[in-house]
Amino acid sequence: MLLTLDIGNTNITIGAFDGDDLVASWRLSTDSRRLTDEYALQLRELLPLKGVAIGDVTDAALCSVVPPLTSVFEEVTRSLFSCDPVVVGAGTRTGIRIQYQSPHDVGADRVVDAAAALHYYGGPAIIVDLGTATVFDAVTADGDYLGGAISVGVGLAGDALAANTSMLRRVDLTAPEHAIGKNTSASINSGLVFGFAGLVESMVRRFRDEMEAPDATVVGTGGLVPLIAGQTSIFDVVDPELTLRGLRHIFNLNREPAQTGGAR
C-alpha cells in the first residue's frame, strides 16, 4: 500500500492507495512546531481508524510547501513504515516541463496538480486550487507548465474582513440563496462565495485566451472547491483529491526506468 502526503500551509492531506484505488484519506492541521514523534504518534493512531494497519504501508510519496515539515515527514515514513519516500522536488520525474522564469519557485503541489490533471484528464488544462490560497495553473497537452496566478483564498479573505473591520465578524462559509444579502452574514457570504466564483470564471477566460485553448479542461481541486463549484459551471472536473492522485502517478513514474525527454 502507498501512503501519499500533501503538506500544505493549513492542512496535511494524507491518502492510502491500494493499487490505483484511493481507499482512505485523512486531514491533519499543519503545525511546523510539531516534532517527528508527535506526527508519528498521530499517524499510528489515525490509520487504523479507517482500516489501514501500519504494516500495510510499504511505500510513501510526498510534496510539501512547508520546508520545516518536509524532513519531519521523511523521518516519519522511515520510522513508521521502514521506507524512503519519493519527495517531489528537483530531480523528480513528473512528466511536466517547467516554463517558469525560475523553476524552483513553483510549489511542489502545483507541479503535482499539473501532472495529475494532464495524466488523468488530458491537456491543455487549467487547474484551479481553492485552498488557503486560490491558485491557477496552466499546462499544455505536451506537458509544458506555462505558469499561473495566485490570489487570496476564500477563507483568508473572510478572516481579513473580520480582523480589519470593527463591525464585521467571521461567518461560516455557506452558499447564499441570493446575491443581495438581507443581513450581514448573508452579505459576507454573497461577497465571498459569489465573488470568488466570478473570480474563477474571469481568470479561466483569460487563461484560455492567453493559451489560445478555448476548450482547455478546467479542473477544480482544494478543500473549498465544493463550495465554489456549486455556484459556477466553469469546471469540467471537480477532484478534491487531485494532489493525492498526482502523488500516486509521480510515484509510479519514479519507480519505472527513466525515459528520455526534458520533463522535470
Side-chain angles (χ1 to χ4, degrees), residues 131-132 134 152-161 170 173 192 196 224:
T132 306
T134 300
V152 66
V154 186
L156 280 181
D159 290 344
L161 276 177
R170 285 182 176 82
L173 288 171
L192 293 175
F196 272 82
L224 292 172

Side-chain angles (χ1 to χ4, degrees), residues 105-234:
D105 288 345
V106 183
D109 55 342
R110 299 175 73 180
V111 177
V112 173
D113 284 351
L118 185 63
H119 177 71
Y120 291 106
Y121 305 116
I126 300 165
I127 304 101
V128 184
D129 185 350
L130 290 148
T132 306
T134 300
V135 181
F136 301 83
D137 296 298
V139 60
T140 70
D142 296 326
D144 287 324
Y145 175 86
L146 301 177
I150 303 172
S151 182
V152 66
V154 186
L156 280 181
D159 290 344
L161 276 177
N164 292 282
T165 60
S166 298
M167 300 296 291
L168 300 181
R169 60 185 182 276
R170 285 182 176 82
V171 299
D172 292 329
L173 288 171
T174 58
E177 295 183 9
H178 306 286
I180 302 173
K182 300 298 186 181
N183 56 57
T184 301
S185 293
S187 297
I188 292 173
N189 268 310
S190 174
L192 293 175
V193 177
F194 291 150
F196 272 82
L199 167 69
V200 170
E201 292 171 348
S202 175
M203 290 299 292
V204 166
R205 285 195 295 269
R206 289 176 180 271
F207 270 47
R208 281 175 164 166
D209 287 346
E210 291 187 18
M211 295 168 71
E212 297 182 352
D215 297 321
T217 300
V218 182
V219 182
T221 190
L224 292 172
V225 70
L227 178 67
I228 303 303
Q231 312 307 318
T232 175
S233 60
I234 199 69

Side-chain angles (χ1 to χ4, degrees), residues 33-161:
R33 299 168 298 177
R34 285 184 186 166
L35 304 176
T36 299
D37 289 343
E38 293 177 288
Y39 274 117
L41 180 61
Q42 273 194 296
L43 288 184
R44 185 179 291 278
E45 294 177 345
L46 283 175
L47 266 60
L49 295 178
K50 294 189 178 179
V52 178
I54 296 297
D56 293 339
V57 178
T58 57
D59 297 289
L62 68 86
C63 65
S64 173
V65 296
V66 187
L69 289 182
T70 306
S71 58
V72 166
F73 276 93
E74 287 184 82
E75 185 55 36
V76 167
T77 60
R78 294 188 186 107
S79 64
L80 279 187
F81 314 119
S82 301
C83 67
D84 287 317
V86 170
V87 181
V88 178
T92 308
R93 277 184 286 145
T94 63
I96 299 296
R97 291 176 295 271
I98 306 298
Q99 304 299 333
Y100 229 47
Q101 289 181 352
S102 177
H104 293 290
D105 288 345
V106 183
D109 55 342
R110 299 175 73 180
V111 177
V112 173
D113 284 351
L118 185 63
H119 177 71
Y120 291 106
Y121 305 116
I126 300 165
I127 304 101
V128 184
D129 185 350
L130 290 148
T132 306
T134 300
V135 181
F136 301 83
D137 296 298
V139 60
T140 70
D142 296 326
D144 287 324
Y145 175 86
L146 301 177
I150 303 172
S151 182
V152 66
V154 186
L156 280 181
D159 290 344
L161 276 177

Side-chain angles (χ1 to χ4, degrees), residues 242-255:
L242 183 71
T243 311
L244 298 181
R245 299 186 207 284
L247 285 167
R248 169 67 187 173
H249 171 57
I250 289 170
F251 174 81
N252 287 338
L253 288 178
N254 286 272
R255 190 171 57 177

